[in-house]
Amino acid sequence: MSNTNKKLFSDFEPVSKEKWMERVTADLKGADFDKKLVWKNLNKINIQPFYNTEDHKEYLKNTGENSPSLVNYRSIYVSSEKRGNALALAAIKEGHNGILFIVKGNMSPSRLLRDIDLNTITISFTIKKNAATFVQHFKSFIKSSKVDKKNLTGFVDTQLISKYVTKGEFGKKAFTEAAEVFSLVAKYPNYKALTISASEYLDSGANQVQEIAYSLNSLVFVIDKLSEKGITPQEVFENLNFRFAIGLEYFIEIGKFRAFNNLLQEIAKKYQVTDFKHTVLAKTSIWSKSITDAHTNLLRATTESMSAILGNVDGVLVDPYDKEFNEVSDFSSRIAGNITTILQEESYFGKVANPVDGSYYIEEATLAIAEKALQLFQSIESEGGFFSNFEKEKIQEQIAEIRVHKLKLISQRRLPMVGINKYPNLMEKVSSELLSSGNTEGNSKTLKPRRASLEIEAMRKKTEELVEQTKVRPVVELASFGNLTMRKARAAFAYDFVGVSGYNVQQEKSYESAEEAAEISAKSNSHVVVLCSSDQDYEEKAVSFVQAFRILNKDKVLLIAGNPTGELLSELTKAGLDGCVNLRSDVLITIASVQNKIQKTLNPLAV
């Protein structure tokens, strides 16, 4: 058996990159290789379709270590010590080994932490006010509990950077308070006094390069400010915790965390700091979540958690899938915690030492992200640093540029998001009250974390409001004739495209002829008709179809699935065609036009 296997595998010689390129070039038949096969990432990084040993180079070092003691966090908003303690104990019982309490500062740590073993459970705090006072009480509780100093793990987040980037100003005593926290936890080597948040950048639409660069810029700024309070760079690096959001680009997110760890080490060297241990908390992003088809958020949270763990983070915080539109339930909280538990215990994430090391694709992505992030970091520093550039709104403008580009790709469906702009759940009914009215930009001086789906939600909200007012959900008919292959393909595309609106999209109706299709669809109970056929059929029959249709019905919305151009499109429009749906169509513009016409038909008094 072994000899047979050896002979079999010896028949397959390694394929060189040159041979692979020769074959691909032939298969492309003159098409542009870069346009067809090279992925141009939003970080302006070109990802090649093929990597092998010929691509090996000296890759980055100090990219972090896969944590065998990964912290599975549960976040708890503390309204009272008793309630917060009960929720924490329940979370620990369910398998969480880390609790992140979000408190206002006027709580009693002794009551909040009752019966929690601080030797085995990681306890962290996001403190919205009076942080130093709260930490002082926390320290007293630790002493009375006789917790081993080395066993106490976690961090304090006074929202030093978070408050600034989202509200535009630092509190009068922000850095004084931060320095006090340093002194209070100084004797606990594994407890972090300073949290630098980068999640607001990605959740406001930034790319991964920006997220890394701005977090490092803000670190340099904080080091300078804390030095005025007597805190040395060594002390800062020894007390660092970073919080990142996790995006949807799986391999790029892995590279992001690895690149960040490398660059942080390089920044530390500039301060003559070589020996320190920071922590990284990765939180599932707000940006990627949806209200429509909300259970898809579970899939997003899973892949986000996977990429963070493979990127060598120390802790993961998975938000409940319905957090964006609902009071978090025990069920959704439990499911969120189970995601990380399953990855750890059943999929063995965190139990294999750096599993992505040596992967040419990920190593290349890590290197490219690090190079781009370092360039951006240096550019910000050369122009005055983090605070100066944020005050001048340069950072906000750079993020806005990427955000607008992302939203354009989502609207054009070139950046697919399941349940939002592609593959909508047509069986789902969503209350208009849950849906967003659209993005309000607000103050240009601050960042505003948001969902990427807000504009599409606003479009869906308009549909649901109309349904609630008229008690009628608009019906979409897919009328097809002619070439079987093309009409099926275009009907499937139109079903998916128009379904984003929340309308009742019916299955394709096939007709023997264009004349029959025009007559029956014009008289049916549908509010929208989408004509589906081949380009050749359109050339021969589309104009007569539209003309016949409009003689019988002038009110219905009439669309065509495809991309007729030039003289044909002009004739169709003149005959009464309302628009087209195709790969180049913008879903927001197209559906808004449809909605406006239907609104006039179903609810003329509201127009």
Side-chain angles (χ1 to χ4, degrees), residues 4-31:
T4 303
N5 285 340
K6 186 175 181 181
K7 183 178 179 181
L8 172 65
F9 289 117
S10 67
D11 289 341
F12 297 92
E13 297 181 359
V15 178
S16 68
K17 195 144 192 174
E18 182 180 2
K19 287 184 178 180
W20 188 88
M21 286 295 295
E22 287 177 0
R23 180 57 185 268
V24 170
T25 302
D27 289 346
L28 286 173
K29 299 177 181 179

Side-chain angles (χ1 to χ4, degrees), residues 154-174:
F155 62 84
V156 173
D157 181 7
T158 62
Q159 297 190 305
L160 193 64
I161 296 300
S162 300
K163 284 182 181 178
Y164 175 61
V165 299
T166 58
K167 297 184 183 301
E169 59 183 25
F170 289 102
K172 293 180 180 179
K173 298 181 179 180

Side-chain angles (χ1 to χ4, degrees), residues 38-56:
V38 176
W39 174 32
K40 293 176 175 57
N41 178 264
L42 288 168
N43 295 283
K44 299 182 180 178
I45 296 170
N46 292 339
I47 306 295
Q48 298 298 318
F50 175 72
Y51 292 94
N52 67 4
T53 53
E54 296 174 42
D55 295 295
H56 178 71

